[in-house]
């Protein structure tokens, strides 16, 4: 257990305040603040107190055992971060917002539903992204929203990001059971009557493409697809940029190492030009995904490799918040190995994908131009 992160006693039972070791700074500090909400569902907010170099956590439980458990897990998280190496974030491209504007021109208050203007805005931006994909020779696909157990076992997403997934369950087709549920006085179905076959609501869309050509021999191939994605986010962090359910377009490419990297960077340059030509402000940076295995963060080489494997296009809103609206990923040969996609010399293909959060592009464009399409940039209007 960590000897530095001694809890500072807080008279308020609904708060935990912990002094942080001096080495928890910069990248480690932002990782810590990002991860604390996943310690327990009782965590309701996390603050960093700069003057005291401490973290203040609001919890909504009076249960002392639960409180102790949060303290223990917090210590373990800090210990893991202390031995981790987190590379400094690199900026690859920057389009800075001119000074002066500090508020969104069109505040976005709609969270419960999208209206006709929102839908048109999302269709227009998706059309522009689809054009990029098709120009690069992508095959267009539309798949189901559920990943089967087989697809999940191969890609391993649920093991790497268990905090994100939604499982799919169903009632068995069994006459006795169905009759029992229908005739029961209860207004709900007991959870234990559902069966689970290992399927998940898709947290991203690209694995379908690998499944389509699994165990085949290929040279190079590209797909584009769009789908509804589902992620179990921290409830109190939900907003227009962070949703439980959102639409993602991806461009997926498989081939030689050189083909994959040139497609990733080529498409990234085109998307950057599109982003700037739409009058949006932001940057392309190396990514840091939370919840890679702690062991992976211990060697500098692995960290650098991981950072360069994923670039993110961040929209920076008028109030200064950065949100990733696209990512450009090089998966090396890991996914083709899992889905057994090989070339004719029997080596696994390399692969990569470019993923766009359509809802986030909408939120970015809405903030800038609002709902009335007469104010939209020409490119969007024409799309
Ligand atoms: Zn992907």
């Amino acid at each position: 257990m960590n000897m530095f992160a001694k809890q500072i006693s807080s008279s308020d039972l609904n708060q935990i305040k912990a002094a942080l070791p001096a080495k928890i700074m910069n990248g480690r500090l932002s990782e810590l603040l990002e991860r604390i909400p996943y310690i327990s569902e009782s965590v309701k907010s996390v603050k960093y107190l700069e003057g005291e170099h401490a973290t203040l956590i609001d919890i909504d439980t009076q249960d002392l055992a639960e409180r102790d458990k949060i303290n223990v897990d917090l210590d373990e998280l800090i210990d893991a971060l202390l031995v981790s190496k987190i590379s400094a974030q690199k900026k690859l491209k920057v389009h800075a917002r001119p000074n002066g504007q500090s508020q969104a021109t069109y505040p976005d208050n709609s969270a419960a539903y999208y209206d006709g203007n929102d839908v048109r805005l999302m269709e227009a931006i998706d059309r522009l992204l689809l054009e990029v994909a098709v120009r690069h020779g992508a095959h267009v696909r539309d798949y189901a929203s559920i990943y089967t157990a087989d697809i999940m076992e191969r890609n391993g997403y649920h093991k790497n990001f268990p905090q994100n997934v939604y499982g799919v369950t169903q009632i068995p087709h069994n006459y006795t059971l169905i009759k029992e549920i229908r005739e029961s006085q209860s207004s709900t179905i007991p959870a234990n009557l559902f069966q689970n076959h290992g399927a998940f609501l898709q947290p991203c869309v690209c694995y379908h493409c690998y499944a389509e050509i699994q165990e085949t021999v290929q040279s190079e191939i590209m797909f584009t697809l769009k789908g509804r994605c589902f992620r179990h986010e921290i409830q109190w962090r939900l907003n227009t940029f962070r949703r439980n359910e959102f639409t993602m377009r991806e461009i997926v490419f498989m081939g030689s190492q050189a083909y994959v990297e040139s497609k990733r960077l080529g498409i990234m340059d085109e998307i950057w030009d599109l982003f700037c030509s739409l009058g949006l402000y932001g940057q392309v940076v190396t990514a840091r995904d939370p919840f890679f295995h702690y062991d992976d963060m211990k060697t500098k080489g692995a960290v650098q490799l991981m950072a360069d494997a994923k670039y993110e296009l961040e929209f920076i809103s008028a109030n200064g918040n950065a949100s990733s609206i696209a990512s450009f990923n090089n998966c090396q040969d890991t996914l083709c190995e899992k889905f057994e996609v090989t070339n004719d010399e029997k080596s696994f293909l390399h692969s990569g994908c470019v993923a766009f959060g359509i809802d986030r592009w909408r939120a970015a464009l809405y903030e800038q131009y609002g709902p009335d399409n007469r104010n939209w940039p020409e490119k969007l209007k024409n799309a």
Side-chain angles (χ1 to χ4, degrees), residues 147 204-207 210 248 250-252 327 329 331 335 352-355:
Y147 278 140
C204 64
V205 294
C206 61
Y207 302 133
Y210 295 90
M248 187 186 278
E250 287 202 50
I251 306 172
V252 186
S327 67
N329 310 292
C331 310
L335 280 170
C353 64
V354 175

